[in-house]
Amino acid sequence: DVLWFGISSPPSRHHWYGNIGFVIRLQTLLDKFCSSRRLYYLENIERFDSVMSRLIFTSRSIEELGPAIELDLRIVGYPLFQDNNGAFYHLKRIPGYRHGHTLEILIDMPSSRPSDAKWLFDNCRKIAVNHQEANTLHYTGNYRVCICYKYNNKQMECPHPFSVIQTCQHMKRECPTFLHSKNILRDNETASNG
């Protein structure tokens, strides 16, 4: 099993994985998972209007992964770079590709280590994000793909096509502890889904 993370985007921008974003500092991920796993650069995937680079934290060997490169965050040119001051940068464009660039980080979560998944859940801030474009129809009459991962990609209606405000209202009713002050997004913060 793997967990997927992406680089943060504003909660007001549509998120195709749903209504709740999980936010964690990249350095926190590195501190937790680099001691027990290696970080590999797996692949680039070109889709519609972007190129995705996939990185994975795993304890598997490179032979088990197939074609992969062990990532050195100090080398400029890889999809993710960390400077001498500890700041992270990710590529916005990749030479040779005509689209923008996004970064996906996979964390290999073997079922033999459930405490890692619990640690990750406990250390992420959970915030409301925009999912109101779900159920948008394509001109063919089908649901548009890459709008709602769980439902629309399977041509099913999403039951929760909510804005950030609607999600907060729903969560306040269904799970009052969700709106603890640390889960309210500030203007200068961003969130990612995972």
Side-chain angles (χ1 to χ4, degrees):
D1 293 332
V2 295
L3 293 177
W4 298 71
F5 278 82
I7 297 298
S8 299
S9 61
S12 58
R13 183 181 297 162
H14 181 78
H15 288 252
W16 83 305
Y17 288 110
N19 305 89
I20 305 297
F22 296 85
V23 181
I24 191 166
R25 292 180 60 244
L26 185 54
Q27 187 62 55
T28 304
L29 282 179
L30 291 171
D31 292 345
K32 172 67 176 175
F33 293 111
C34 275
S35 63
S36 61
R37 296 168 174 86
R38 290 193 166 104
L39 181 61
Y40 292 102
Y41 176 31
L42 285 178
E43 62 190 345
N44 286 338
I45 298 174
E46 190 169 6
R47 287 187 139 176
F48 306 110
D49 61 350
S50 69
V51 175
M52 292 178 285
S53 292
R54 290 189 173 157
L55 311 179
I56 186 169
F57 284 107
T58 184
S59 54
R60 290 186 277 169
S61 69
I62 197 163
E63 291 79 21
E64 292 176 86
L65 291 174
I69 300 169
E70 188 163 358
L71 193 62
D72 183 342
L73 294 177
R74 297 166 296 174
I75 297 176
V76 177
Y78 281 138
L80 183 63
F81 171 73
Q82 186 175 24
D83 70 15
N84 292 334
N85 297 319
F88 290 96
Y89 301 90
H90 66 93
L91 294 177
K92 305 284 188 204
R93 290 202 165 297
I94 294 183
Y97 289 94
R98 58 188 171 100
H99 303 305
H101 178 258
T102 59
L103 183 63
E104 293 183 344
I105 299 171
L106 293 72
I107 302 173
D108 199 357
M109 294 295 220
S111 56
S112 61
R113 295 182 63 156
S115 61
D116 284 349
K118 181 178 179 352
W119 178 92
L120 193 55
F121 184 82
D122 290 344
N123 284 276
C124 283
R125 266 191 20 196
K126 292 82 172 168
I127 63 166
V129 295
N130 181 19
H131 190 61
Q132 67 185 355
E133 291 178 29
N135 300 333
T136 302
L137 294 177
H138 189 267
Y139 71 89
T140 61
N142 294 325
Y143 290 115
R144 286 180 51 207
V145 296
C146 296
I147 298 295
C148 175
Y149 177 78
K150 186 173 183 178
Y151 295 101
N152 292 174
N153 274 15
K154 298 173 187 162
Q155 294 303 306
M156 297 166 49
E157 182 176 352
C158 176
H160 309 292
F162 300 155
S163 68
V164 173
I165 292 171
Q166 291 169 316
T167 298
C168 284
Q169 291 168 341
H170 182 78
M171 293 305 295
K172 188 175 181 180
R173 282 190 309 273
E174 301 297 322
C175 184
T177 58
F178 175 79
L179 289 178
H180 184 277
S181 62
K182 71 177 187 171
N183 293 329
I184 296 172
L185 198 67
R186 293 163 195 86
D187 288 341
N188 63 344
E189 293 181 312
T190 58
S192 63
N193 291 76

